[in-house]
Structure formats: structure tokens, C-alpha cells
Amino acid sequence: MASLSPEILERALKAREDFPTFVSLVWKFTPLKHQLRWMRELKRLADGDLKELLIIAPRGSGKSALVGVLFLAWMIGRNPDKHYGLISYTDKIAWRRSKAIRNIIQYDPVYRLIFPGLKPDFRNWSRESFTLQRADTTDLHPTLIASGSTSAIISARLDGVIYDDPHDEKNSKTPTK
């Protein structure tokens, strides 16, 4: 860490509280105008200024990467003792997003610079759910649980949920949906 410039260290510190800075460091892309607005609203959600946020946008606009992966990774870094859910239209889609988040937490050196104290708890580190090491070793709920929209996650005691593409044409045509 001694070889890192003061500017990088300052940006990493800012990224802990500022979602756009986090995105610029971890994802290394220039957000489009609509994504900048989403990031401002997601920051308001994280700060408690909003209780709910619904983003409706066409396929390919960056919702899954920005909200379903990066926002959740940032929230987990900021609140590692909380419990989050990620719901998609199938388990497999949710598990892909969960894997991306796990990979960021476990392997991304920039993420580890931003959130240096986070450590995986490999006793629960799977595609369906994962847990970070916590001070409260009696907490039986995972840090993140990922599932399809028809799965039961009620008992997970979630502090926040991201619904990323929670339905598709196939599961929306059923009488129940």
C-alpha cells in the first residue's frame, strides 16, 4: 500500500461513501447520463433518503451490472453485518450476479483497498448465498442470498432486496403471476 499515490488512497476512501466514485474505481467506465441519475438515486437509497427505488429501463441499459452487481457489492462493503437479497426470474440468473459480487469481494484489489476489513467466511461461500466474517458469530443469516422469483427467502431476515429482472415472459404467463 505504500506505493499507492495519495490521490488513489483519497479516492478509495471517498468510494466507501460515494457510489459514483466506487463505480469509477471498480468498474472503470464512464457512466452514461441515465446511469448517473440512477447512481444519484441509489446513493439516496443507501443514505436512507428513499425507502424504495424502481428503475425501469430497456435491456442493455446497464441495470444488472450497475444495480444488481455493483450497488450490492458497495452496500455489502458499507454494511457487512447486514443481510441482502438478490432476486431474478430464475435461480441461475441470480446466481450469476451473486458470483460476480463474490468475485469482486474476493479478488478485486481495488475493492479490497476500498473495504480492507472484509473477509469471506468460506463456511458459507456458494452460488446461492454467501457470508462475510462477522463479529457476531451467532448470526445464522447470510450476507447475500440469491434466488429466483419463485423461491422462498422469507426467513432470511433481509435488510434490503434487489429485484433484478424478477420476471420473464414464461413465468409471467402463469395464472399465479
Side-chain angles (χ1 to χ4, degrees):
M1 294 239 195
S3 63
L4 295 173
S5 72
E7 294 82 19
I8 293 291
L9 293 173
E10 185 178 323
R11 286 188 72 206
L13 188 60
K14 182 179 179 185
R16 291 178 193 165
E17 298 301 320
D18 185 65
F19 184 55
T21 302
F22 173 83
V23 170
S24 72
L25 288 173
V26 173
W27 203 4
K28 300 169 190 76
F29 91 113
T30 303
L32 301 171
K33 185 177 178 180
H34 68 277
Q35 293 166 330
L36 288 170
R37 181 160 184 228
W38 295 350
M39 286 191 276
R40 283 192 302 271
E41 296 304 311
L42 288 164
K43 174 78 168 81
R44 290 182 60 215
L45 184 71
D47 291 343
D49 298 333
L50 296 175
K51 294 270 187 215
E52 297 176 347
L53 177 62
L54 176 64
I55 297 174
I56 300 173
R59 179 176 294 170
S61 59
K63 295 181 307 293
S64 295
L66 193 64
V67 181
V69 175
L70 291 168
F71 182 67
L72 265 173
W74 183 66
M75 288 297 291
I76 288 167
R78 293 179 73 195
N79 307 290
D81 292 330
K82 291 196 174 187
H83 314 100
Y84 297 97
L86 174 59
I87 299 172
S88 265
Y89 61 90
T90 68
D91 288 335
K92 287 182 181 180
I93 299 298
W95 296 342
R96 277 189 217 146
R97 313 254 194 289
S98 172
K99 180 180 180 181
I101 296 167
R102 285 192 329 268
N103 285 342
I104 289 169
I105 292 169
Q106 189 173 358
Y107 300 115
D108 190 297
V110 175
Y111 187 87
R112 290 196 314 267
L113 180 65
I114 297 167
F115 301 112
L118 297 185
K119 292 187 173 105
D121 182 344
F122 289 113
R123 293 172 298 174
N124 178 25
W125 197 254
S126 70
R127 64 185 185 179
E128 297 92 358
S129 68
F130 65 81
T131 303
L132 297 176
Q133 292 180 11
R134 310 178 173 133
D136 182 1
T137 58
T138 64
D139 185 349
L140 56 99
H141 302 290
T143 302
L144 179 75
I145 185 166
S147 68
S149 60
T150 59
S151 300
I153 62 168
I154 277 291
S155 66
R157 306 289 190 266
L158 301 174
D159 296 294
V161 178
I162 298 291
Y163 291 92
D164 180 31
D165 298 329
H167 61 86
D168 65 357
E169 188 175 321
K170 183 179 175 184
N171 74 9
S172 295
K173 284 186 175 181
T174 66
T176 311
K177 294 290 179 174

